[in-house]
Amino acid sequence: MTTFSANSLRTVLLFGLAFVCLAGCQASDSSRGAGQPPFMSATTSNPPQAADDAPPPDKTGGFDGKRAYALVGKQVGFGPHPSGSAAIAKLQDFMQSELKSYGCTVDTDSFTADTPVGRLPMKNIVAKIPGEKTGIILLGTHYDTLLTVPNFVGADDGGSSTALMLELARLLCPQHGKYAVWIAFFDGEEATQRWSDTDSRYGSRQMAAKLAMSGDLKRVKAFLLADIVGGRKAQFVRETSSTPELINLVWNAAHKLGYAALFRDTTTEAQDDHDSFLSRGVPSVDVIGDFINNGYWHTAQDNMDIISPKTLASVGHVFLESIKELQSR
Ligand SMILES: [Zn+2]
Protein backbone atom coordinates (compact mmCIF):
# COMPACT_ATOMS: atom_id res chain seq x y z
CA MET A 1 0.00 0.00 0.00
CA THR A 2 1.37 3.33 -0.88
CA THR A 3 0.45 6.87 -0.38
CA PHE A 4 2.36 9.58 -2.11
CA SER A 5 3.09 12.86 -0.50
CA ALA A 6 1.83 15.79 -2.49
CA ASN A 7 4.33 17.09 -4.96
CA SER A 8 4.99 20.75 -5.03
CA LEU A 9 2.99 22.31 -7.81
CA ARG A 10 5.17 23.51 -10.59
CA THR A 11 3.84 26.36 -12.57
CA VAL A 12 4.82 25.14 -15.93
CA LEU A 13 2.98 24.44 -19.10
CA LEU A 14 4.82 21.51 -20.43
CA PHE A 15 4.88 18.92 -23.09
CA GLY A 16 3.33 16.44 -20.72
CA LEU A 17 0.28 18.65 -20.55
CA ALA A 18 0.26 18.97 -24.30
CA PHE A 19 -0.24 15.23 -24.53
CA VAL A 20 -3.07 14.57 -26.92
CA CYS A 21 -5.12 11.46 -26.65
CA LEU A 22 -4.34 9.91 -29.96
CA ALA A 23 -6.68 7.01 -29.71
CA GLY A 24 -9.17 8.09 -27.13
CA CYS A 25 -8.22 8.48 -23.54
CA GLN A 26 -10.54 5.83 -22.21
CA ALA A 27 -8.09 3.45 -20.70
CA SER A 28 -9.27 -0.03 -21.32
CA ASP A 29 -8.29 -3.37 -19.99
CA SER A 30 -8.35 -4.82 -23.48
CA SER A 31 -4.68 -4.03 -24.03
CA ARG A 32 -3.68 -5.87 -20.92
CA GLY A 33 -3.45 -9.54 -20.22
CA ALA A 34 -4.98 -12.13 -22.50
CA GLY A 35 -6.36 -11.17 -25.86
CA GLN A 36 -3.76 -8.54 -26.58
CA PRO A 37 -3.92 -7.04 -30.03
CA PRO A 38 -1.11 -7.92 -32.39
CA PHE A 39 1.93 -5.74 -32.02
CA MET A 40 5.07 -4.92 -33.93
CA SER A 41 7.42 -7.77 -33.31
CA ALA A 42 11.05 -7.36 -32.40
CA THR A 43 11.99 -8.11 -35.95
CA THR A 44 11.79 -5.06 -38.11
CA SER A 45 10.88 -4.53 -41.74
CA ASN A 46 13.30 -1.66 -41.77
CA PRO A 47 16.58 -2.92 -40.30
CA PRO A 48 19.25 -0.46 -39.16
CA GLN A 49 21.36 1.01 -41.96
CA ALA A 50 25.15 1.03 -41.93
CA ALA A 51 24.99 4.64 -40.74
CA ASP A 52 23.24 3.36 -37.62
CA ASP A 53 25.89 0.72 -36.85
CA ALA A 54 27.33 0.98 -33.37
CA PRO A 55 31.08 1.53 -33.22
CA PRO A 56 33.06 -1.30 -31.59
CA PRO A 57 32.64 -1.18 -27.79
CA ASP A 58 36.28 -0.18 -27.24
CA LYS A 59 35.47 3.12 -28.98
CA THR A 60 32.60 3.85 -26.62
CA GLY A 61 34.09 3.12 -23.22
CA GLY A 62 33.13 -0.55 -23.38
CA PHE A 63 29.46 0.17 -24.01
CA ASP A 64 28.10 -2.28 -26.57
CA GLY A 65 25.53 -0.52 -28.75
CA LYS A 66 24.66 -3.71 -30.63
CA ARG A 67 23.90 -5.43 -27.36
CA ALA A 68 21.78 -2.49 -26.19
CA TYR A 69 19.88 -2.59 -29.49
CA ALA A 70 19.14 -6.29 -28.96
CA LEU A 71 17.88 -5.47 -25.46
CA VAL A 72 15.41 -2.96 -26.93
CA GLY A 73 14.23 -5.70 -29.29
CA LYS A 74 13.81 -8.08 -26.38
CA GLN A 75 11.52 -5.62 -24.58
CA VAL A 76 9.51 -4.89 -27.73
CA GLY A 77 9.13 -8.64 -28.14
CA PHE A 78 7.02 -8.74 -24.97
CA GLY A 79 4.47 -6.55 -26.76
CA PRO A 80 2.74 -3.60 -25.10
CA HIS A 81 3.62 -3.71 -21.41
CA PRO A 82 1.75 -1.07 -19.44
CA SER A 83 1.86 -1.21 -15.65
CA GLY A 84 -0.09 -4.12 -14.20
CA SER A 85 -0.15 -6.14 -17.43
CA ALA A 86 0.83 -9.80 -17.81
CA ALA A 87 3.51 -8.68 -20.29
CA ILE A 88 5.21 -6.34 -17.85
CA ALA A 89 5.47 -9.15 -15.29
CA LYS A 90 7.41 -11.17 -17.87
CA LEU A 91 9.65 -8.19 -18.61
CA GLN A 92 10.31 -7.72 -14.88
CA ASP A 93 11.41 -11.35 -14.60
CA PHE A 94 13.67 -10.91 -17.62
CA MET A 95 15.28 -7.72 -16.27
CA GLN A 96 15.91 -9.25 -12.87
CA SER A 97 17.51 -12.39 -14.27
CA GLU A 98 19.55 -10.28 -16.68
CA LEU A 99 20.84 -8.06 -13.85
CA LYS A 100 21.67 -11.08 -11.71
CA SER A 101 23.58 -12.61 -14.61
CA TYR A 102 25.77 -9.47 -14.62
CA GLY A 103 26.57 -10.02 -10.94
CA CYS A 104 24.40 -7.10 -9.77
CA THR A 105 22.83 -6.99 -6.33
CA VAL A 106 19.16 -6.43 -7.10
CA ASP A 107 16.55 -4.87 -4.82
CA THR A 108 12.88 -4.87 -5.75
CA ASP A 109 10.01 -2.86 -4.34
CA SER A 110 6.56 -4.21 -5.18
CA PHE A 111 3.76 -1.79 -4.37
CA THR A 112 0.28 -0.92 -5.47
CA ALA A 113 -0.68 2.42 -6.93
CA ASP A 114 -4.14 3.90 -6.99
CA THR A 115 -4.63 5.16 -10.52
CA PRO A 116 -7.61 6.54 -12.47
CA VAL A 117 -8.03 3.06 -13.99
CA GLY A 118 -7.90 1.26 -10.67
CA ARG A 119 -5.39 -0.12 -8.24
CA LEU A 120 -2.38 -1.49 -10.12
CA PRO A 121 0.51 -3.62 -8.93
CA MET A 122 3.85 -2.00 -9.74
CA LYS A 123 7.47 -2.85 -9.17
CA ASN A 124 10.66 -0.82 -9.00
CA ILE A 125 13.86 -2.76 -9.63
CA VAL A 126 17.17 -1.32 -8.42
CA ALA A 127 20.67 -2.64 -9.10
CA LYS A 128 22.96 -1.49 -6.28
CA ILE A 129 26.71 -1.24 -6.65
CA PRO A 130 28.42 -0.42 -3.35
CA GLY A 131 30.98 2.35 -2.94
CA GLU A 132 33.58 3.30 -0.38
CA LYS A 133 31.89 6.54 0.66
CA THR A 134 28.32 7.18 1.67
CA GLY A 135 27.34 9.12 -1.46
CA ILE A 136 25.15 7.59 -4.14
CA ILE A 137 25.12 8.27 -7.88
CA LEU A 138 21.61 7.38 -8.96
CA LEU A 139 20.76 6.43 -12.55
CA GLY A 140 17.21 5.87 -13.75
CA THR A 141 14.87 4.79 -16.54
CA HIS A 142 11.25 3.78 -16.82
CA TYR A 143 10.29 0.49 -18.43
CA ASP A 144 6.47 0.60 -18.57
CA THR A 145 4.71 1.47 -21.82
CA LEU A 146 1.82 3.82 -22.46
CA LEU A 147 -1.59 2.23 -21.94
CA THR A 148 -3.68 4.72 -23.88
CA VAL A 149 -2.36 4.08 -27.40
CA PRO A 150 -3.22 0.71 -29.00
CA ASN A 151 -0.23 -1.44 -30.06
CA PHE A 152 2.19 0.90 -28.33
CA VAL A 153 5.42 -1.00 -27.66
CA GLY A 154 7.63 1.96 -26.66
CA ALA A 155 10.87 0.95 -28.40
CA ASP A 156 12.27 4.43 -27.75
CA ASP A 157 9.93 5.59 -24.96
CA GLY A 158 10.81 3.13 -22.24
CA GLY A 159 12.75 0.55 -24.24
CA SER A 160 15.86 2.49 -25.28
CA SER A 161 16.69 3.94 -21.85
CA THR A 162 15.98 0.61 -20.17
CA ALA A 163 18.36 -1.15 -22.58
CA LEU A 164 20.92 1.60 -21.91
CA MET A 165 20.67 1.06 -18.15
CA LEU A 166 20.88 -2.72 -18.48
CA GLU A 167 24.06 -2.37 -20.54
CA LEU A 168 25.47 0.13 -18.03
CA ALA A 169 24.66 -2.34 -15.25
CA ARG A 170 26.58 -5.07 -17.10
CA LEU A 171 29.63 -2.80 -17.19
CA LEU A 172 29.33 -1.24 -13.73
CA CYS A 173 28.14 -4.08 -11.49
CA PRO A 174 31.55 -5.83 -11.46
CA GLN A 175 33.21 -2.52 -10.52
CA HIS A 176 33.55 -0.78 -7.19
CA GLY A 177 33.90 3.00 -7.09
CA LYS A 178 34.35 5.78 -4.59
CA TYR A 179 30.58 6.30 -4.51
CA ALA A 180 27.81 3.76 -4.76
CA VAL A 181 25.97 3.58 -8.07
CA TRP A 182 22.30 2.65 -7.97
CA ILE A 183 20.51 1.93 -11.23
CA ALA A 184 16.75 2.29 -10.88
CA PHE A 185 14.21 0.78 -13.27
CA PHE A 186 10.91 2.54 -12.59
CA ASP A 187 7.45 1.19 -13.23
CA GLY A 188 4.51 3.51 -13.90
CA GLU A 189 6.09 6.58 -15.44
CA GLU A 190 3.35 6.87 -18.02
CA ALA A 191 -0.06 8.32 -17.20
CA THR A 192 -2.87 5.76 -17.15
CA GLN A 193 -5.30 8.37 -18.52
CA ARG A 194 -3.95 11.87 -18.79
CA TRP A 195 -0.63 13.23 -17.53
CA SER A 196 -0.81 15.06 -14.21
CA ASP A 197 1.22 15.21 -11.01
CA THR A 198 -0.97 12.44 -9.60
CA ASP A 199 -1.37 10.31 -12.75
CA SER A 200 2.26 9.73 -13.80
CA ARG A 201 5.68 8.90 -12.33
CA TYR A 202 4.24 6.33 -9.89
CA GLY A 203 7.48 4.38 -9.59
CA SER A 204 9.88 7.30 -9.17
CA ARG A 205 7.56 9.02 -6.69
CA GLN A 206 7.45 5.77 -4.71
CA MET A 207 11.23 5.44 -4.68
CA ALA A 208 11.89 9.09 -3.78
CA ALA A 209 9.36 8.89 -0.93
CA LYS A 210 10.89 5.67 0.38
CA LEU A 211 14.42 7.05 0.24
CA ALA A 212 13.27 10.19 2.05
CA MET A 213 11.79 8.01 4.82
CA SER A 214 14.89 5.85 5.18
CA GLY A 215 17.22 8.85 5.10
CA ASP A 216 19.07 7.56 2.02
CA LEU A 217 17.79 10.41 -0.15
CA LYS A 218 20.35 12.74 1.43
CA ARG A 219 23.09 10.41 0.19
CA VAL A 220 22.11 10.90 -3.47
CA LYS A 221 24.67 13.28 -4.97
CA ALA A 222 23.17 13.24 -8.44
CA PHE A 223 20.32 11.63 -10.33
CA LEU A 224 20.90 10.98 -14.04
CA LEU A 225 17.70 10.03 -15.84
CA ALA A 226 17.59 8.68 -19.40
CA ASP A 227 14.43 8.65 -21.53
CA ILE A 228 13.87 8.35 -25.30
CA VAL A 229 17.59 7.90 -26.01
CA GLY A 230 17.71 5.51 -28.98
CA GLY A 231 16.24 7.28 -32.02
CA ARG A 232 17.98 7.17 -35.39
CA LYS A 233 17.54 10.92 -35.69
CA ALA A 234 17.80 11.68 -31.99
CA GLN A 235 18.75 15.16 -30.84
CA PHE A 236 19.36 15.89 -27.19
CA VAL A 237 18.52 19.34 -25.94
CA ARG A 238 19.19 20.81 -22.52
CA GLU A 239 16.15 20.11 -20.34
CA THR A 240 15.59 23.34 -18.48
CA SER A 241 14.00 22.09 -15.25
CA SER A 242 17.11 19.93 -14.66
CA THR A 243 19.90 21.09 -12.35
CA PRO A 244 22.16 23.38 -14.44
CA GLU A 245 25.38 21.99 -12.99
CA LEU A 246 24.40 18.46 -13.99
CA ILE A 247 23.24 19.49 -17.46
CA ASN A 248 26.68 21.07 -17.91
CA LEU A 249 28.44 17.99 -16.61
CA VAL A 250 26.68 15.72 -19.12
CA TRP A 251 27.01 18.17 -22.02
CA ASN A 252 30.68 18.76 -21.30
CA ALA A 253 31.27 15.01 -21.32
CA ALA A 254 29.35 14.69 -24.61
CA HIS A 255 31.24 17.52 -26.29
CA LYS A 256 34.58 16.25 -25.02
CA LEU A 257 33.83 12.85 -26.58
CA GLY A 258 32.88 14.41 -29.91
CA TYR A 259 29.07 14.20 -29.72
CA ALA A 260 28.32 17.91 -30.15
CA ALA A 261 26.05 17.16 -33.12
CA LEU A 262 23.95 14.85 -30.95
CA PHE A 263 23.98 16.92 -27.76
CA ARG A 264 22.77 20.35 -28.86
CA ASP A 265 22.78 23.59 -26.97
CA THR A 266 19.13 24.38 -27.55
CA THR A 267 16.66 23.92 -24.70
CA THR A 268 13.36 22.26 -23.97
CA GLU A 269 11.38 21.48 -20.86
CA ALA A 270 9.94 18.09 -20.04
CA GLN A 271 8.02 16.51 -17.20
CA ASP A 272 9.59 13.21 -16.33
CA ASP A 273 10.81 10.96 -13.51
CA HIS A 274 13.47 13.48 -12.50
CA ASP A 275 10.67 15.71 -11.15
CA SER A 276 10.10 13.18 -8.34
CA PHE A 277 13.65 13.82 -7.12
CA LEU A 278 13.97 17.52 -8.03
CA SER A 279 10.93 18.29 -5.89
CA ARG A 280 12.77 16.75 -2.94
CA GLY A 281 15.95 18.73 -3.55
CA VAL A 282 18.06 16.08 -5.29
CA PRO A 283 20.25 17.48 -8.11
CA SER A 284 18.87 15.80 -11.23
CA VAL A 285 19.20 15.83 -15.00
CA ASP A 286 16.88 14.38 -17.61
CA VAL A 287 18.81 13.24 -20.67
CA ILE A 288 15.89 13.06 -23.07
CA GLY A 289 15.66 13.04 -26.85
CA ASP A 290 13.60 15.74 -28.53
CA PHE A 291 10.36 13.77 -28.39
CA ILE A 292 8.16 16.66 -29.50
CA ASN A 293 9.73 16.75 -32.94
CA ASN A 294 10.66 13.09 -33.47
CA GLY A 295 7.41 12.31 -35.27
CA TYR A 296 6.59 9.06 -33.43
CA TRP A 297 6.32 9.98 -29.76
CA HIS A 298 3.37 8.21 -28.12
CA THR A 299 2.31 6.52 -31.36
CA ALA A 300 2.46 2.92 -32.54
CA GLN A 301 5.33 4.01 -34.81
CA ASP A 302 7.60 4.03 -31.77
CA ASN A 303 8.92 0.58 -32.79
CA MET A 304 12.21 -1.02 -33.79
CA ASP A 305 12.24 0.81 -37.14
CA ILE A 306 13.34 4.04 -35.48
CA ILE A 307 15.98 2.64 -33.11
CA SER A 308 19.70 3.10 -33.79
CA PRO A 309 22.48 1.03 -32.18
CA LYS A 310 24.81 3.98 -32.85
CA THR A 311 22.71 6.46 -30.89
CA LEU A 312 22.47 4.00 -28.00
CA ALA A 313 26.25 3.55 -28.02
CA SER A 314 26.88 7.30 -28.08
CA VAL A 315 24.54 8.01 -25.17
CA GLY A 316 25.96 5.03 -23.26
CA HIS A 317 29.44 6.45 -23.76
CA VAL A 318 28.32 9.85 -22.46
CA PHE A 319 26.73 8.27 -19.39
CA LEU A 320 29.91 6.30 -18.62
CA GLU A 321 32.00 9.47 -18.92
CA SER A 322 29.55 11.46 -16.77
CA ILE A 323 29.64 8.77 -14.06
CA LYS A 324 33.44 8.80 -14.19
CA GLU A 325 33.40 12.56 -13.68
CA LEU A 326 30.99 12.27 -10.72
CA GLN A 327 33.14 9.49 -9.20
CA SER A 328 36.18 11.79 -9.34
CA ARG A 329 34.59 14.49 -7.19
ZN1 LIG B 1 5.93 8.29 -22.70
Side-chain angles (χ1 to χ4, degrees):
M1 217 78 65
T2 302
T3 44
F4 299 114
S5 65
N7 279 353
S8 61
L9 260 182
R10 298 175 52 218
T11 52
V12 280
L13 181 62
L14 298 176
F15 300 133
L17 298 179
F19 165 71
V20 177
C21 296
L22 296 164
C25 266
Q26 285 309 323
S28 113
D29 279 339
S30 65
S31 64
R32 299 206 298 275
Q36 282 184 344
F39 52 84
M40 293 299 287
S41 76
T43 50
T44 166
S45 55
N46 188 10
Q49 308 295 306
D52 294 313
D53 279 354
D58 64 346
K59 302 274 188 248
T60 48
F63 190 97
D64 190 338
K66 235 191 228 175
R67 214 179 158 277
Y69 178 83
L71 285 166
V72 181
K74 182 78 189 181
Q75 294 171 75
V76 168
F78 287 109
H81 42 276
S83 296
S85 62
I88 205 169
K90 287 182 191 148
L91 173 57
Q92 288 157 352
D93 288 347
F94 168 75
M95 289 194 297
Q96 287 175 82
S97 67
E98 198 69 10
L99 289 167
K100 283 176 186 157
S101 78
Y102 306 154
C104 303
T105 300
V106 182
D107 263 13
T108 59
D109 180 18
S110 296
F111 61 101
T112 50
D114 288 316
T115 79
V117 298
R119 181 164 283 194
L120 297 179
M122 295 194 188
K123 189 191 252 188
N124 288 336
I125 298 169
V126 187
K128 293 185 171 177
I129 305 151
E132 287 144 30
K133 300 205 166 191
T134 54
I136 298 165
I137 298 165
L138 179 64
L139 312 178
T141 174
H142 79 90
Y143 65 88
D144 60 303
T145 58
L146 187 68
L147 170 68
T148 48
V149 175
N151 299 335
F152 182 82
V153 292
D156 205 8
D157 188 356
S160 61
S161 53
T162 297
L164 182 101
M165 291 300 164
L166 285 170
E167 175 61 2
L168 289 175
R170 185 181 71 83
L171 295 169
L172 297 174
C173 282
Q175 298 181 16
H176 191 107
K178 183 158 120 188
Y179 301 109
V181 178
W182 289 6
I183 307 177
F185 299 82
F186 300 121
D187 201 341
E189 184 266 349
E190 301 287 6
T192 62
Q193 271 187 344
R194 188 181 176 82
W195 185 281
S196 71
D197 272 350
T198 51
D199 185 19
S200 69
R201 299 187 283 110
Y202 294 96
S204 58
R205 284 189 286 136
Q206 160 79 6
M207 184 174 178
K210 264 194 109 163
L211 292 183
M213 295 263 268
S214 71
D216 282 334
L217 199 68
K218 291 195 287 286
R219 295 172 55 201
V220 181
K221 291 163 55 75
F223 173 41
L224 272 52
L225 174 68
D227 198 5
I228 314 184
V229 292
R232 282 180 167 179
K233 295 178 179 158
Q235 290 274 288
F236 296 90
V237 292
R238 293 166 174 262
E239 196 285 312
T240 50
S241 67
S242 297
T243 307
E245 192 210 352
L246 281 181
I247 304 174
N248 289 337
L249 181 138
V250 173
W251 256 249
N252 287 345
H255 288 203
K256 186 176 107 185
L257 296 171
Y259 301 119
L262 194 57
F263 285 74
R264 310 303 296 262
D265 283 326
T266 47
T267 59
T268 193
E269 192 165 12
Q271 289 184 326
D272 208 341
D273 282 318
H274 63 319
D275 292 331
S276 307
F277 290 85
L278 278 173
S279 65
R280 291 177 183 275
V282 177
S284 306
V285 59
D286 188 12
V287 178
I288 184 167
D290 182 0
F291 55 101
I292 288 298
N293 297 306
N294 69 16
Y296 55 80
W297 178 60
H298 283 185
T299 75
Q301 281 71 54
D302 183 354
N303 58 44
M304 290 309 286
D305 287 351
I306 51 81
I307 298 294
S308 159
K310 186 181 177 185
T311 304
L312 290 164
S314 306
V315 181
H317 196 189
V318 170
F319 265 78
L320 285 169
E321 191 65 25
S322 302
I323 295 160
K324 214 184 272 177
E325 173 61 27
L326 286 166
Q327 286 285 17
S328 75
R329 293 182 170 195

